[in-house]
Amino acid sequence: MYNLETIIEETLAQTLSQSAYAYREKGDIEMSKKLYSDALKIEKRLAVDNQAHFQPFVARTLHAIGELYEEVNQYDLAIKYYKKSISTTKKMFKLNEKEYAELFASRYVEVANLCKRDYRYAQAEHFYNKALEVYKIVDMQNTPLTQVKMLNIYHALAIICREMGKVQETREAYMGLLNIYKNLVNDESDKYKPELAMVLFDLGTLYFEHKRQNKAGEVYLFALELFSYLYSKDSHTYKEILAKTLHNLAQIYTAQNDFPSALSGYREALNHYIELADENPSRYGAEVAVIFKHLASFYKKQNRMDLAEYFYLRQVELYTELNSYHEYEYDLRLAAAIVEGVEHYGQHTLSLYQAELIVARYEEKFLLEKIQSLRVEWAVNR
């Protein structure tokens, strides 16, 4: 039983909190903050004698003040009060893990989301990982609702860790996603298969970008299997990502000297991109040009220079056409392709004048230096 003074103070704190919420709804942030602060002083005093009952009120009010500061974009103060709310919630969690686990984890996620939105990626990573720790402590990972929440956390971690260039942490986030999806995906339903396929593709791309070709190839093959299945159900939605997967696999096979598999991948990817370019040439024409570029390199690696030159010229032809419609976007790509032709495919140095005219309009020192270097080399070898 509480004494009369405690009952009165608790009632006063509740009244102040209700009034604070009402002023917040009206948009009077300053009055709302003042009333919440007054309520907080009373709740903290009451919590000294009865933590179990009054700490949840303290945590709630601290969180409400944090929300007020977030609304007016004062993120430093918002994070400060969110952290205070988390600290109080942590005490509640220690007293009763089962009852407060979900609240505790959600508080970490809320402040992590704010940090992510404000590009404070290191702080966001810290708080997302704290939320995951809570779920693991109370062994909640296997409940369907928690699995969905953990998926959101791992997705966010993958994004921010990739932005920070933290390769290992990004890989761990993808692996966390895969561990959950493998429990959610089944043969009877396609519900999670698109998400699983994209995670596999992103993980494969992470390996691909960091020159781990064998690992990238293994992961892309799993992604390809899923994308091929999804494409059979909905070709319009999955044509582009299927083409990307095939194209990346073809580049890996080329690096591994598996030329038959590489050629098959290039052909399939090219067919899909040509279909897409027929519908939207400005968007997908460049993708076709890139495959022509890689096919030229593919045949050059086998010393089949007639085919290498053929696909090189197709690349230049396509960039020239695209450049006529979108000059600014394709100027440097066309110039780079012309320079590449002189350097690798036996094209005459006279074509460098065209590239030089293009490059002169931009601050592109690398291409200018390459043009000059090729001219010197040509003069020496005459």
Side-chain angles (χ1 to χ4, degrees), residues 316-376:
V316 173
E317 180 184 301
L318 186 49
Y319 275 140
T320 301
E321 183 178 349
L322 291 167
N323 184 250
S324 67
Y325 294 105
H326 304 281
E327 187 175 272
Y328 181 79
E329 184 174 353
Y330 290 101
D331 265 348
L332 291 178
R333 298 193 206 187
L334 175 58
I338 292 169
V339 171
E340 189 177 87
V342 175
E343 185 175 16
H344 297 295
Y345 300 105
Q347 304 302 298
H348 200 283
T349 54
L350 286 174
S351 63
L352 292 175
Y353 286 105
Q354 181 188 357
E356 192 171 32
L357 285 172
I358 295 172
V359 174
R361 298 198 290 265
Y362 303 89
E363 293 184 7
E364 184 51 60
K365 293 182 180 179
F366 175 78
L367 279 177
L368 279 173
E369 290 173 358
K370 175 61 73 174
I371 289 169
Q372 292 166 4
S373 173
L374 287 169
R375 283 190 174 132
V376 170

Side-chain angles (χ1 to χ4, degrees), residues 3-21:
N3 59 40
L4 181 59
E5 183 179 350
T6 300
I7 293 172
I8 292 172
E9 287 201 304
E10 181 178 352
T11 302
L12 177 59
Q14 290 176 353
T15 302
L16 287 167
S17 292
Q18 290 167 359
S19 297
Y21 181 79

Side-chain angles (χ1 to χ4, degrees), residues 28-45:
D28 191 340
I29 302 298
E30 291 306 315
M31 180 57 75
S32 181
K33 280 192 288 189
K34 181 183 182 307
L35 292 171
Y36 273 131
S37 295
D38 291 342
L40 181 63
K41 290 175 185 176
I42 297 171
E43 290 163 351
K44 283 183 174 180
R45 188 165 60 246

